């Protein structure tokens, strides 16, 4: 699992990263950033959106972690958001983003693990929702939540998936059955 952590407190970044590595070993890779610009640049350029979850402080220096989460969810809706903060007065504002979990500071270790387990469960559920498509001799296994839309032209089906178009020879009703 790829987890991005964004907090303006370097010590908190280290604590979160260390606790996750200690508990989950090689199952989790953390990417730590002290500002949203660096975090967003990493997501969009380096990882090309290959992030499963983001642990975000609500107040990241002069930046708003909730606004950053909104931006992430708009562009990368599959990234699961976990908020962490010592400012409980902002807790009412987080639900415009639909976070997976809300952690308070000081950090409770078991709550962090609960949050990660919830993310893992959601990812597992999403991964179980796949369809298999045979396209000109090649088999594609597609996660349904990454299918943007499907269009047909006679017996040709065009599946707009992530950042590619997959062409298959089948009827539209066949793909409708798979997706339902």
């Amino acid at each position: 699992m790829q987890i991005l952590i964004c907090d303006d407190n370097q010590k908190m970044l280290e604590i979160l990263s260390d606790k996750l590595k200690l508990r989950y070993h090689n199952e989790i890779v953390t990417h730590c950033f002290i500002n949203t610009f660096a975090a967003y640049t990493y997501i969009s350029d380096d990882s090309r959106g290959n992030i499963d979850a983001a642990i975000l402080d609500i107040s990241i220096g002069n930046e708003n972690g909730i606004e950053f989460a909104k931006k992430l969810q708009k562009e990368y809706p599959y990234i699961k958001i976990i908020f962490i903060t010592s400012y409980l007065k902002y807790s009412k504002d987080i639900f415009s983003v639909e976070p997976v979990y809300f952690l308070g500071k000081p950090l409770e270790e078991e709550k962090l693990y609960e949050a990660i387990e919830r993310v893992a469960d959601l990812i597992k559920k999403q991964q179980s929702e796949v369809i298999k498509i045979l396209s000109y001799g090649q088999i594609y296994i597609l996660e349904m939540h990454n299918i943007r839309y499907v269009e047909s032209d006679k017996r040709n089906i065009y599946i707009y998936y992530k950042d590619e178009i997959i062409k298959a020879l089948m009827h539209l009703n066949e793909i409708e059955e798979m997706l339902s």
Side-chain angles (χ1 to χ4, degrees), residues 122-131 141-147 179:
L122 288 170
I123 291 170
K124 185 185 256 186
K125 181 181 177 208
Q126 286 176 338
Q127 288 175 342
S128 69
E129 298 172 352
V130 297
I131 61 171
I141 299 174
L142 308 177
E143 298 168 344
M144 288 194 284
H145 70 276
N146 283 321
I147 296 174
L179 293 172

Side-chain angles (χ1 to χ4, degrees), residues 135-173:
S135 175
Y136 299 95
Q138 184 172 356
I139 296 175
Y140 290 88
I141 299 174
L142 308 177
E143 298 168 344
M144 288 194 284
H145 70 276
N146 283 321
I147 296 174
R148 304 295 181 232
Y149 65 95
V150 178
E151 64 182 9
S152 71
D153 181 22
K154 299 179 182 134
R155 269 192 55 92
N156 288 315
I157 297 291
Y158 300 91
I159 302 168
Y160 291 79
Y161 182 76
K162 292 185 179 178
D163 58 352
E164 65 180 310
I165 302 171
I166 299 167
K167 181 180 174 184
L169 189 61
M170 60 192 316
H171 289 288
L172 186 58
N173 65 345

Side-chain angles (χ1 to χ4, degrees), residues 2-3 31 42-43 46-53 76 78-79:
Q2 300 286 323
I3 298 183
H31 309 278
Y42 176 79
I43 292 170
D46 297 340
S47 79
R48 295 188 176 151
N50 187 25
I51 295 292
D52 297 302
Y76 305 98
Y78 52 85
I79 294 177

Side-chain angles (χ1 to χ4, degrees), residues 4-171:
L4 179 130
I5 305 170
C6 190
D7 194 311
D8 59 341
N9 181 330
Q10 184 67 39
K11 185 71 175 160
M12 182 55 71
L13 287 174
E14 292 169 10
I15 289 169
L16 287 165
S17 184
D18 290 347
K19 286 187 183 303
L20 292 174
K21 288 176 185 175
L22 186 64
R23 171 81 175 241
Y24 296 101
H25 309 289
N26 295 330
E27 294 176 44
I28 289 182
V29 177
T30 59
H31 309 278
C32 299
F33 301 94
I34 59 170
N35 63 61
T36 59
F37 179 77
Y40 183 77
T41 301
Y42 176 79
I43 292 170
S44 60
D45 294 345
D46 297 340
S47 79
R48 295 188 176 151
N50 187 25
I51 295 292
D52 297 302
I55 300 174
L56 305 176
D57 191 358
I58 288 180
S59 178
I60 307 168
N62 294 331
E63 301 170 277
N64 184 322
I66 297 171
E67 291 304 315
F68 180 55
K70 286 179 185 177
K71 181 178 180 178
L72 285 182
Q73 282 194 330
K74 183 177 181 184
E75 295 181 40
Y76 305 98
Y78 52 85
I79 294 177
K80 312 295 180 260
I81 304 295
I82 298 169
F83 283 117
I84 184 167
T85 191
S86 55
Y87 301 105
L88 295 179
K89 64 182 178 181
Y90 296 118
S91 62
K92 67 181 182 331
D93 299 330
I94 68 169
F95 294 103
S96 62
V97 182
E98 298 181 32
V100 173
Y101 216 91
F102 180 82
L103 299 168
K105 291 180 185 175
L107 180 66
E108 293 180 51
E109 199 169 322
E110 284 308 310
K111 296 292 185 188
L112 172 63
Y113 301 145
E114 283 179 27
I116 298 303
E117 293 303 321
R118 186 174 292 171
V119 167
D121 289 345
L122 288 170
I123 291 170
K124 185 185 256 186
K125 181 181 177 208
Q126 286 176 338
Q127 288 175 342
S128 69
E129 298 172 352
V130 297
I131 61 171
K132 293 179 184 176
I133 299 292
L134 179 62
S135 175
Y136 299 95
Q138 184 172 356
I139 296 175
Y140 290 88
I141 299 174
L142 308 177
E143 298 168 344
M144 288 194 284
H145 70 276
N146 283 321
I147 296 174
R148 304 295 181 232
Y149 65 95
V150 178
E151 64 182 9
S152 71
D153 181 22
K154 299 179 182 134
R155 269 192 55 92
N156 288 315
I157 297 291
Y158 300 91
I159 302 168
Y160 291 79
Y161 182 76
K162 292 185 179 178
D163 58 352
E164 65 180 310
I165 302 171
I166 299 167
K167 181 180 174 184
L169 189 61
M170 60 192 316
H171 289 288

